[in-house]
Amino acid sequence: MALDIENSSVVLSSLILWNIAITVPALMLDISVVKIIPYSLYLIILPMIVMILKIKKLSH
């Protein structure tokens, strides 16, 4: 349950480019938010991996 909450509120919120979770790190690194987009692949893959592991665990 904790991973579900993390994936929905912490990780996925950074995918919204105007969200503070992505804007503040971009401003601190002095780069545009658009340059961070390629690195957000991790934010997309992480919830998918958790879902795959849950499905695998339920099938065993």
Side-chain angles (χ1 to χ4, degrees):
M1 175 98 167
L3 282 176
D4 296 331
I5 294 170
E6 176 190 3
N7 289 334
S8 64
S9 62
V10 177
V11 175
L12 293 178
S13 67
S14 299
L15 292 176
I16 304 169
L17 295 179
W18 57 86
N19 192 339
I20 195 166
I22 196 74
T23 306
V24 170
L27 291 173
M28 290 178 69
L29 295 171
D30 197 30
I31 58 175
S32 70
V33 175
V34 177
K35 290 185 179 181
I36 292 180
I37 292 174
Y39 299 105
S40 65
L41 182 64
Y42 170 76
L43 300 172
I44 297 168
I45 292 175
L46 182 65
M48 295 165 105
I49 291 173
V50 171
M51 285 185 348
I52 291 169
L53 291 175
K54 279 189 173 190
I55 291 169
K56 187 177 177 181
K57 184 179 177 182
L58 289 175
S59 66
H60 286 275

